[in-house]
mmCIF file of all heavy atoms in Angstrom:
data_model
loop_
_atom_site.group_PDB
_atom_site.id
_atom_site.type_symbol
_atom_site.label_atom_id
_atom_site.label_comp_id
_atom_site.label_asym_id
_atom_site.label_seq_id
_atom_site.Cartn_x
_atom_site.Cartn_y
_atom_site.Cartn_z
ATOM 1 N N THR A 31 -12.029 17.842 0.132
ATOM 2 C CA THR A 31 -12.055 18.248 -1.272
ATOM 3 C C THR A 31 -11.285 17.254 -2.138
ATOM 4 O O THR A 31 -10.527 16.414 -1.630
ATOM 5 C CB THR A 31 -11.422 19.648 -1.458
ATOM 6 O OG1 THR A 31 -10.024 19.550 -1.176
ATOM 7 C CG2 THR A 31 -12.084 20.676 -0.566
ATOM 8 N N PHE A 36 -6.692 13.747 -3.293
ATOM 9 C CA PHE A 36 -5.624 13.449 -4.250
ATOM 10 C C PHE A 36 -4.260 13.467 -3.549
ATOM 11 O O PHE A 36 -3.448 12.563 -3.728
ATOM 12 C CB PHE A 36 -5.647 14.454 -5.406
ATOM 13 C CG PHE A 36 -4.395 14.426 -6.231
ATOM 14 C CD1 PHE A 36 -4.172 13.401 -7.139
ATOM 15 C CD2 PHE A 36 -3.437 15.409 -6.093
ATOM 16 C CE1 PHE A 36 -3.006 13.357 -7.881
ATOM 17 C CE2 PHE A 36 -2.268 15.376 -6.834
ATOM 18 C CZ PHE A 36 -2.051 14.346 -7.732
ATOM 19 N N LYS A 42 0.286 8.400 0.040
ATOM 20 C CA LYS A 42 0.280 6.975 0.363
ATOM 21 C C LYS A 42 1.114 6.181 -0.640
ATOM 22 O O LYS A 42 1.746 5.203 -0.280
ATOM 23 C CB LYS A 42 -1.140 6.434 0.428
ATOM 24 C CG LYS A 42 -1.865 6.881 1.682
ATOM 25 C CD LYS A 42 -3.123 6.109 1.899
ATOM 26 C CE LYS A 42 -3.873 6.633 3.086
ATOM 27 N NZ LYS A 42 -3.424 6.126 4.351
ATOM 28 N N GLY A 44 3.696 7.466 -2.194
ATOM 29 C CA GLY A 44 5.049 7.844 -1.788
ATOM 30 C C GLY A 44 6.059 7.729 -2.914
ATOM 31 O O GLY A 44 5.784 8.059 -4.060
ATOM 32 N N ALA A 56 -0.435 4.770 -18.753
ATOM 33 C CA ALA A 56 -1.046 5.996 -18.245
ATOM 34 C C ALA A 56 -2.476 5.635 -17.857
ATOM 35 O O ALA A 56 -3.293 5.314 -18.719
ATOM 36 C CB ALA A 56 -1.030 7.092 -19.292
ATOM 37 N N VAL A 59 -7.597 8.039 -13.341
ATOM 38 C CA VAL A 59 -8.373 7.604 -12.191
ATOM 39 C C VAL A 59 -9.497 8.607 -11.966
ATOM 40 O O VAL A 59 -9.246 9.795 -11.804
ATOM 41 C CB VAL A 59 -7.488 7.515 -10.926
ATOM 42 C CG1 VAL A 59 -8.312 7.093 -9.722
ATOM 43 C CG2 VAL A 59 -6.319 6.573 -11.161
ATOM 44 N N THR A 62 -15.227 8.619 -7.630
ATOM 45 C CA THR A 62 -16.669 8.782 -7.749
ATOM 46 C C THR A 62 -17.345 9.248 -6.465
ATOM 47 O O THR A 62 -18.574 9.282 -6.414
ATOM 48 C CB THR A 62 -17.310 7.451 -8.199
ATOM 49 O OG1 THR A 62 -17.015 6.436 -7.233
ATOM 50 C CG2 THR A 62 -16.786 7.027 -9.568
ATOM 51 N N TYR A 74 3.431 6.003 -16.008
ATOM 52 C CA TYR A 74 4.811 5.525 -15.959
ATOM 53 C C TYR A 74 5.302 5.503 -17.406
ATOM 54 O O TYR A 74 4.920 4.644 -18.192
ATOM 55 C CB TYR A 74 4.880 4.130 -15.344
ATOM 56 C CG TYR A 74 6.268 3.533 -15.367
ATOM 57 C CD1 TYR A 74 7.271 4.029 -14.548
ATOM 58 C CD2 TYR A 74 6.571 2.477 -16.218
ATOM 59 C CE1 TYR A 74 8.539 3.489 -14.571
ATOM 60 C CE2 TYR A 74 7.834 1.930 -16.242
ATOM 61 C CZ TYR A 74 8.813 2.438 -15.423
ATOM 62 O OH TYR A 74 10.081 1.900 -15.447
ATOM 63 N N LEU A 79 7.755 8.142 -13.107
ATOM 64 C CA LEU A 79 6.379 8.050 -12.630
ATOM 65 C C LEU A 79 5.848 9.454 -12.379
ATOM 66 O O LEU A 79 6.524 10.277 -11.765
ATOM 67 C CB LEU A 79 6.311 7.247 -11.331
ATOM 68 C CG LEU A 79 4.907 6.984 -10.801
ATOM 69 C CD1 LEU A 79 4.203 5.945 -11.674
ATOM 70 C CD2 LEU A 79 4.959 6.505 -9.370
ATOM 71 N N GLU A 82 -0.508 13.212 -11.227
ATOM 72 C CA GLU A 82 -0.932 14.607 -11.331
ATOM 73 C C GLU A 82 -2.452 14.721 -11.343
ATOM 74 O O GLU A 82 -3.139 13.833 -11.840
ATOM 75 C CB GLU A 82 -0.368 15.247 -12.601
ATOM 76 C CG GLU A 82 1.147 15.272 -12.671
ATOM 77 C CD GLU A 82 1.795 16.098 -11.572
ATOM 78 O OE1 GLU A 82 1.165 17.042 -11.068
ATOM 79 O OE2 GLU A 82 2.946 15.804 -11.228
ATOM 80 N N PRO A 83 -2.985 15.840 -10.839
ATOM 81 C CA PRO A 83 -4.444 16.011 -10.736
ATOM 82 C C PRO A 83 -5.096 16.550 -12.017
ATOM 83 O O PRO A 83 -5.754 17.582 -12.003
ATOM 84 C CB PRO A 83 -4.575 17.010 -9.587
ATOM 85 C CG PRO A 83 -3.358 17.854 -9.706
ATOM 86 C CD PRO A 83 -2.272 16.912 -10.160
ATOM 87 N N ASP A 85 -6.839 15.298 -16.151
ATOM 88 C CA ASP A 85 -7.259 14.241 -17.072
ATOM 89 C C ASP A 85 -6.054 13.826 -17.906
ATOM 90 O O ASP A 85 -5.127 14.605 -18.108
ATOM 91 C CB ASP A 85 -8.340 14.745 -18.035
ATOM 92 C CG ASP A 85 -9.652 15.047 -17.340
ATOM 93 O OD1 ASP A 85 -9.765 14.792 -16.137
ATOM 94 O OD2 ASP A 85 -10.564 15.547 -18.014
ATOM 95 N N TYR A 86 -6.088 12.597 -18.418
ATOM 96 C CA TYR A 86 -5.041 12.124 -19.316
ATOM 97 C C TYR A 86 -5.756 11.541 -20.527
ATOM 98 O O TYR A 86 -6.283 10.443 -20.478
ATOM 99 C CB TYR A 86 -4.168 11.065 -18.630
ATOM 100 C CG TYR A 86 -2.830 10.878 -19.287
ATOM 101 C CD1 TYR A 86 -1.695 11.456 -18.749
ATOM 102 C CD2 TYR A 86 -2.691 10.115 -20.443
ATOM 103 C CE1 TYR A 86 -0.461 11.295 -19.334
ATOM 104 C CE2 TYR A 86 -1.467 9.945 -21.041
ATOM 105 C CZ TYR A 86 -0.349 10.536 -20.481
ATOM 106 O OH TYR A 86 0.877 10.369 -21.069
ATOM 107 N N ASP A 88 -4.773 10.471 -23.518
ATOM 108 C CA ASP A 88 -4.197 9.329 -24.231
ATOM 109 C C ASP A 88 -3.904 8.173 -23.272
ATOM 110 O O ASP A 88 -2.898 7.490 -23.404
ATOM 111 C CB ASP A 88 -2.905 9.748 -24.948
ATOM 112 C CG ASP A 88 -3.166 10.725 -26.075
ATOM 113 O OD1 ASP A 88 -4.267 10.690 -26.643
ATOM 114 O OD2 ASP A 88 -2.269 11.531 -26.377
ATOM 115 N N MET A 92 -8.593 3.408 -17.922
ATOM 116 C CA MET A 92 -9.321 4.379 -17.113
ATOM 117 C C MET A 92 -10.074 3.587 -16.052
ATOM 118 O O MET A 92 -10.635 2.531 -16.345
ATOM 119 C CB MET A 92 -10.310 5.180 -17.953
ATOM 120 C CG MET A 92 -11.010 6.258 -17.158
ATOM 121 S SD MET A 92 -12.262 7.227 -18.048
ATOM 122 C CE MET A 92 -11.595 7.470 -19.634
ATOM 123 N N ALA A 95 -13.678 4.607 -9.294
ATOM 124 C CA ALA A 95 -13.716 3.988 -7.970
ATOM 125 C C ALA A 95 -13.964 5.040 -6.904
ATOM 126 O O ALA A 95 -13.650 6.214 -7.089
ATOM 127 C CB ALA A 95 -12.401 3.280 -7.674
ATOM 128 N N THR A 105 -2.775 0.353 -1.650
ATOM 129 C CA THR A 105 -1.911 0.076 -0.503
ATOM 130 C C THR A 105 -1.852 -1.403 -0.134
ATOM 131 O O THR A 105 -1.186 -1.758 0.825
ATOM 132 C CB THR A 105 -2.350 0.887 0.730
ATOM 133 O OG1 THR A 105 -3.707 0.542 1.049
ATOM 134 C CG2 THR A 105 -2.225 2.376 0.490
ATOM 135 N N MET A 115 -12.944 -7.409 -10.045
ATOM 136 C CA MET A 115 -13.902 -8.498 -10.271
ATOM 137 C C MET A 115 -15.189 -8.304 -9.453
ATOM 138 O O MET A 115 -16.256 -8.684 -9.905
ATOM 139 C CB MET A 115 -13.270 -9.853 -9.940
ATOM 140 C CG MET A 115 -12.063 -10.180 -10.812
ATOM 141 S SD MET A 115 -12.402 -10.121 -12.575
ATOM 142 C CE MET A 115 -13.305 -11.602 -12.798
ATOM 143 N N GLU A 120 -14.138 -0.061 -11.444
ATOM 144 C CA GLU A 120 -14.479 -0.314 -12.849
ATOM 145 C C GLU A 120 -13.275 0.023 -13.711
ATOM 146 O O GLU A 120 -12.655 1.070 -13.528
ATOM 147 C CB GLU A 120 -15.646 0.564 -13.300
ATOM 148 C CG GLU A 120 -16.965 0.234 -12.657
ATOM 149 C CD GLU A 120 -18.058 1.172 -13.143
ATOM 150 O OE1 GLU A 120 -18.151 1.400 -14.372
ATOM 151 O OE2 GLU A 120 -18.788 1.692 -12.293
ATOM 152 N N VAL A 121 -12.967 -0.863 -14.672
ATOM 153 C CA VAL A 121 -11.811 -0.664 -15.534
ATOM 154 C C VAL A 121 -12.251 -0.612 -16.979
ATOM 155 O O VAL A 121 -13.038 -1.441 -17.429
ATOM 156 C CB VAL A 121 -10.792 -1.816 -15.356
ATOM 157 C CG1 VAL A 121 -9.642 -1.677 -16.330
ATOM 158 C CG2 VAL A 121 -10.286 -1.864 -13.942
ATOM 159 N N LEU A 134 3.006 -0.497 -6.973
ATOM 160 C CA LEU A 134 3.701 0.745 -6.643
ATOM 161 C C LEU A 134 3.932 0.923 -5.155
ATOM 162 O O LEU A 134 4.916 1.505 -4.730
ATOM 163 C CB LEU A 134 2.918 1.955 -7.169
ATOM 164 C CG LEU A 134 2.801 2.077 -8.680
ATOM 165 C CD1 LEU A 134 1.940 3.286 -9.031
ATOM 166 C CD2 LEU A 134 4.171 2.189 -9.324
ATOM 167 N N ALA A 139 8.208 -2.292 6.199
ATOM 168 C CA ALA A 139 9.052 -3.358 6.720
ATOM 169 C C ALA A 139 8.586 -3.697 8.126
ATOM 170 O O ALA A 139 8.316 -2.807 8.924
ATOM 171 C CB ALA A 139 10.505 -2.922 6.730
ATOM 172 N N ALA A 145 14.905 -7.823 20.572
ATOM 173 C CA ALA A 145 15.737 -8.947 21.003
ATOM 174 C C ALA A 145 15.516 -9.179 22.494
ATOM 175 O O ALA A 145 15.719 -8.282 23.305
ATOM 176 C CB ALA A 145 17.196 -8.654 20.716
ATOM 177 N N PRO A 148 18.060 -13.383 27.301
ATOM 178 C CA PRO A 148 17.723 -14.646 27.970
ATOM 179 C C PRO A 148 17.555 -14.391 29.464
ATOM 180 O O PRO A 148 18.272 -13.587 30.055
ATOM 181 C CB PRO A 148 18.919 -15.555 27.684
ATOM 182 C CG PRO A 148 19.989 -14.670 27.132
ATOM 183 C CD PRO A 148 19.344 -13.412 26.671
ATOM 184 N N LYS A 151 19.614 -17.103 34.769
ATOM 185 C CA LYS A 151 19.394 -18.327 35.531
ATOM 186 C C LYS A 151 20.099 -18.192 36.865
ATOM 187 O O LYS A 151 21.243 -17.769 36.933
ATOM 188 C CB LYS A 151 19.936 -19.536 34.776
ATOM 189 C CG LYS A 151 19.182 -19.807 33.504
ATOM 190 C CD LYS A 151 19.702 -21.046 32.825
ATOM 191 C CE LYS A 151 18.924 -21.314 31.559
ATOM 192 N NZ LYS A 151 19.398 -22.522 30.882
ATOM 193 N N ALA A 155 23.226 -24.609 41.917
ATOM 194 C CA ALA A 155 24.021 -25.182 43.017
ATOM 195 C C ALA A 155 23.543 -24.651 44.360
ATOM 196 O O ALA A 155 23.469 -25.390 45.339
ATOM 197 C CB ALA A 155 25.498 -24.873 42.818
ATOM 198 N N GLN A 166 19.027 -32.773 55.546
ATOM 199 C CA GLN A 166 19.935 -33.363 56.531
ATOM 200 C C GLN A 166 19.562 -32.934 57.945
ATOM 201 O O GLN A 166 19.717 -33.668 58.892
ATOM 202 C CB GLN A 166 21.363 -32.959 56.221
ATOM 203 C CG GLN A 166 21.898 -33.647 54.990
ATOM 204 C CD GLN A 166 23.299 -33.176 54.637
ATOM 205 O OE1 GLN A 166 23.826 -32.285 55.270
ATOM 206 N NE2 GLN A 166 23.867 -33.789 53.615
ATOM 207 N N ALA A 168 16.632 -32.304 59.048
ATOM 208 C CA ALA A 168 15.321 -32.825 59.431
ATOM 209 C C ALA A 168 15.351 -34.233 59.900
ATOM 210 O O ALA A 168 16.116 -35.020 59.983
ATOM 211 C CB ALA A 168 14.358 -32.725 58.263
#
Side-chain angles (χ1 to χ4, degrees):
T31 68
F36 166 76
K42 286 193 184 277
V59 179
T62 60
Y74 175 71
L79 185 73
E82 299 297 333
D85 292 355
Y86 200 101
D88 293 332
M92 184 182 321
T105 59
M115 298 305 285
E120 292 179 46
V121 175
L134 295 177
K151 294 183 179 181
Q166 288 177 356

